Amino acid sequence: MSAAMHPPVADSNSHAHAGLHHHKESFISKYVFSQDHKMISKQFLITAIIMAVVAMIMSIIFRLQIAFPGESFAFTHFFLGDKWAPDGVLSPSMFLGLVTIHGTIMLFFVLTGGLSGTFSNLLIPLQIGARDMASGFINMLSFWFFLAASVVMLSSLFVESGPANGGWTVYPPLSVLPQAIPGSGTGMTLWLFSMVLFIAGSLMGSLNYIVTILNLRTKGMKMTRLPLTIWALLLTAIVGVLAFPVLVSAVVLLIMDRMMGTSFYLSEIHIAGEALDNMGGSPILYEHLFWFLGHPEVYIVILPAFGISSEVISTMSRKPIFGYRAMIGSLMAISFLSFIVWAHHMFITGMNPFLGAVFAFTTTLIAVPSSIKVFNYITTLWRGNIVFSPAMLFSIGMVSTFIAGGLTGIIVANAALDIQVHDTYFVVAHFHMVMGVSAIFAMLAGVYHWFPRMYGRMMNTKLGYFHFWITLVAAYGVFIPMHYVGLSGPRRYYEYTEFPMFQGAFMDLNVIITVFAAIGGAAQLIFLYNFFRSIWYGQKAVQNPWNSNTLEWTAPVEHLHGNWPGPLPVVHRWPYDYSKPGKPDDFVPQTVPLEDGEEES
């Protein structure tokens, strides 16, 4: 069913649309300093893919060291050279550096900047019926700050003393005192300045997203008619605006301790028998500031994943999303509760047991809205006329990994149990499953689903199937055994063979984990080939390849300034009218007016 035509209406955006598709642009203005939200979304995506490849290579290198300590690998020497991998053996300092930068890149530069930056820019104007973002210039700046932060972070790998190697949380005192360890020098300084640039770009982007959604919706696009993707991206932006400035303050105070002689995080420190002139500070202050952002950051990552999966699952099930308003309510509840659970990362800091019980309660409580979303996904799938596209498989995979990771969250939410597994590979496996793998699966689902909208071509479906199944098996092959390794003791050991209690079965598990990590990494080569080849050689896409209801599929396949060549579309219904009784097709676009006697769902 094609969208109905409507008389011209006033634009909800100040951009004039007459003749916008005839506007001439130079290479620089189109590809470098573009203010077009569609191009900026591609810039975020390509940058995130590059950063993800770098982080993936890092993870394989340090996994080889964990599984086969002290053995020489040409793969390691090829990437790190003689300085950091003499004779192909990873050095202890660079081992910690790779773990640190891998975590930082994946959490901030791929799962935050890449996921939100790509899909907020692509979908917000198109799905709400706007010409572009509220401010194209600020939108452009948000990407360039993101790119600058990426370059600064990667440049820390090339300084003489090596990158930051105090862990991705960069706890003081290691992150404050340059003389503490090699990675506390210039590499740590670059890490801190990179994060300031990243947060500045994120704040500019988030404010732009909020203003655009609230002010530039097209005629008829009420808040109760917004796709769940837009609700998720809106709440993600709000959480980011409230939480990221706290990390900026933590980083600025840390920089002052490093360079200006202050003692916000330092107190009575001795290095090599020498007492430093620092008194009155506490590293626990940094932990509070960091995790006040750090836990909302988990939901800054997973909320867009929920939104993407909601859209894909409903579309490919050919059914209305189950419990639309309950889904919105659960997104709001998750956003609120994310701000009052941060100290569950600090159960072993000596906090009052009563306070620990409070944070254990709020942490457990957040499972309720999360479970609502999972139940609604399953109910939407139930008896649906499911189309198993690669996007649908990755969305279902996201639900699977989120459930698997969430179950172990019950353990780490309990203060008494968390004390036993804190800072072990059990926690690493938990957050990789519930946040890392789940968000990556949703991001891949979004790429497969909206690739025709981004590039006007289709990705290869068979390659998508291979990509999904190998990645799913590899993800479970890595992180299920890792829970058992975590029960044996702490993480970040350079050589487990130094400890007799870790030899035997646990070393065998580390070998299994590393083999599956290598298989998972190789599977991403299928995606990279499929993605970049399809940009130029993929089958040309029709305007609405998935028979979807939302507004982005009413815009022409060719990219136009202003998205629509004529008047903006008018919205008459919610976005999930699939398989509606009495309709000749199993989808009804939002632009189709309600018939006489027809009630809006």
Side-chain angles (χ1 to χ4, degrees):
M1 182 181 294
S2 60
M5 297 298 293
H6 303 282
V9 295
D11 281 4
S12 61
N13 195 314
S14 60
H15 300 306
H17 62 262
L20 282 172
H21 52 295
H22 298 299
H23 180 66
K24 298 294 184 182
E25 289 185 297
S26 67
F27 178 88
I28 297 295
S29 64
K30 183 175 182 180
Y31 295 104
V32 181
F33 297 111
S34 176
Q35 297 186 31
D36 177 19
H37 72 98
K38 300 182 291 297
M39 181 57 67
I40 293 173
S41 75
K42 296 178 187 179
Q43 291 173 326
F44 270 104
L45 179 59
I46 298 298
T47 305
I49 288 174
I50 294 170
M51 296 295 281
V53 169
V54 172
M56 181 179 69
I57 293 171
M58 290 179 177
S59 67
I60 293 174
I61 291 174
F62 65 69
R63 283 300 329 171
L64 288 172
Q65 166 60 31
I66 294 171
F68 309 102
E71 293 194 21
S72 175
F73 291 96
F75 181 84
T76 301
H77 186 268
F78 175 79
F79 285 103
L80 298 180
D82 290 326
K83 179 175 176 60
W84 300 115
D87 298 322
V89 179
L90 181 64
S91 69
S93 179
M94 183 53 75
F95 171 82
L96 293 175
L98 294 181
V99 172
T100 300
I101 303 301
H102 165 81
T104 303
I105 287 176
M106 289 304 300
L107 187 62
F108 293 108
F109 293 89
V110 178
L111 298 179
T112 302
L115 186 55
S116 291
T118 298
F119 293 103
S120 294
N121 273 289
L122 176 67
L123 297 179
I124 287 175
L126 283 167
Q127 288 198 335
I128 70 172
R131 296 289 179 194
D132 208 316
M133 288 293 180
S135 172
F137 179 74
I138 292 178
N139 204 26
M140 177 190 72
L141 283 183
S142 71
F143 167 72
W144 280 101
F145 270 81
F146 172 71
L147 181 63
S150 303
V151 172
V152 172
M153 184 62 67
L154 293 179
S155 69
S156 69
L157 295 167
F158 301 97
V159 298
E160 184 175 359
S161 57
N165 56 21
W168 74 273
T169 58
V170 296
Y171 282 168
L174 287 181
S175 57
V176 176
L177 301 171
Q179 66 270 42
I181 52 177
S184 293
T186 305
M188 181 64 70
T189 302
L190 291 172
W191 191 99
L192 295 171
F193 280 104
S194 172
M195 290 309 302
V196 172
L197 290 171
F198 173 83
I199 294 169
S202 296
L203 290 175
M204 285 188 284
S206 295
L207 290 170
N208 217 2
Y209 307 152
I210 294 168
V211 172
T212 303
I213 294 171
L214 296 182
N215 292 339
L216 299 185
R217 301 189 307 278
T218 191
K219 183 178 179 180
M221 182 61 81
K222 299 182 292 187
M223 295 296 287
T224 52
R225 290 176 175 170
L226 288 174
L228 289 172
T229 43
I230 301 302
W231 273 106
L233 294 170
L234 171 63
L235 292 167
T236 300
I238 292 171
V239 171
V241 167
L242 295 176
F244 269 124
V246 180
L247 182 59
V248 171
S249 66
V251 168
V252 169
L253 294 181
L254 202 156
I255 292 173
M256 292 175 68
D257 275 9
R258 285 176 61 86
M259 300 181 175
M260 302 180 186
T262 58
S263 298
F264 292 105
Y265 305 133
L266 296 175
S267 179
E268 301 174 359
I269 302 293
H270 290 72
I271 294 182
E274 178 185 354
L276 304 182
D277 297 329
N278 299 100
M279 296 181 64
S282 171
I284 303 299
L285 169 62
Y286 177 87
E287 289 192 43
H288 278 293
L289 294 174
F290 181 90
W291 288 116
F292 190 82
L293 166 276
H295 205 82
E297 168 66 14
V298 171
Y299 297 99
I300 290 172
V301 167
I302 205 64
L303 286 176
F306 285 149
I308 290 170
S309 296
S310 299
E311 182 69 24
V312 173
I313 287 175
S314 179
T315 301
M316 295 304 173
S317 296
R318 314 313 294 166
K319 281 181 61 181
I321 193 77
F322 183 85
Y324 173 77
R325 285 176 170 78
M327 295 286 264
I328 295 172
S330 65
L331 288 171
M332 291 180 172
I334 289 170
S335 301
F336 170 73
L337 290 171
S338 70
F339 284 97
I340 54 175
V341 298
W342 79 87
H344 69 215
H345 296 273
M346 303 172 59
F347 284 148
I348 64 169
T349 58
M351 69 168 61
N352 185 296
F354 174 76
L355 189 60
V358 170
F359 280 101
F361 170 74
T362 57
T363 302
T364 306
L365 187 63
I366 208 168
V368 175
S370 300
S371 298
I372 289 173
K373 301 198 71 61
V374 170
F375 293 144
N376 285 16
Y377 290 142
I378 295 172
T379 311
T380 303
L381 290 166
W382 176 252
R383 302 185 73 177
N385 186 20
I386 299 175
V387 179
F388 288 104
S389 67
M392 183 60 157
L393 290 175
F394 274 106
S395 295
I396 296 172
M398 177 267 176
V399 177
S400 168
T401 56
F402 186 77
I403 293 172
L407 290 174
T408 55
I410 299 172
I411 296 172
V412 295
N414 184 294
L417 297 177
D418 181 71
I419 289 173
Q420 307 305 314
V421 298
H422 184 86
D423 208 25
T424 70
Y425 273 112
F426 187 94
V427 177
V428 178
H430 159 70
F431 75 70
H432 272 83
M433 287 294 290
V434 78
M435 180 191 68
V437 177
S438 298
I440 286 290
F441 273 30
M443 186 174 181
L444 291 169
V447 171
Y448 279 105
H449 189 73
W450 281 288
F451 188 89
R453 181 67 275 167
M454 297 181 78
Y455 293 101
R457 294 182 181 271
M458 306 293 292
M459 293 182 72
N460 185 289
T461 301
K462 290 184 179 179
L463 289 178
Y465 291 155
F466 281 116
H467 177 216
F468 168 74
W469 286 112
I470 298 173
T471 302
L472 180 72
V473 171
Y476 277 110
V478 169
F479 297 113
I480 294 300
M482 194 176 287
H483 286 88
Y484 293 95
V485 175
L487 295 176
S488 70
R491 59 193 277 208
R492 295 181 191 157
Y493 284 162
Y494 174 69
E495 288 189 12
Y496 273 69
T497 52
E498 293 294 319
F499 305 90
M501 72 284 288
F502 296 152
Q503 297 184 25
F506 289 110
M507 280 306 301
D508 293 339
L509 285 176
N510 271 317
V511 173
I512 293 172
I513 292 169
T514 301
V515 169
F516 275 109
I519 293 172
Q524 306 322 302
L525 298 178
I526 300 174
F527 168 75
L528 293 174
Y529 172 79
N530 193 3
F531 179 84
F532 286 106
R533 186 183 186 282
S534 297
I535 292 175
W536 288 281
Y537 302 110
Q539 177 186 349
K540 288 190 176 181
V542 297
Q543 183 164 323
N544 190 359
W546 313 122
N547 291 333
S548 184
N549 293 340
T550 44
L551 294 184
E552 73 269 28
W553 305 108
T554 66
V557 175
E558 62 272 15
H559 286 183
L560 307 174
H561 287 276
N563 296 327
W564 290 270
L568 293 175
V570 179
V571 172
H572 298 277
R573 59 181 71 231
W574 78 321
Y576 300 110
D577 270 340
Y578 293 104
S579 301
K580 192 166 187 179
K583 296 296 181 182
D585 296 318
D586 67 350
F587 71 107
V588 187
Q590 288 186 278
T591 52
V592 174
L594 295 169
E595 297 178 357
D596 292 339
E598 182 184 359
E599 294 184 1
E600 186 174 358
S601 300

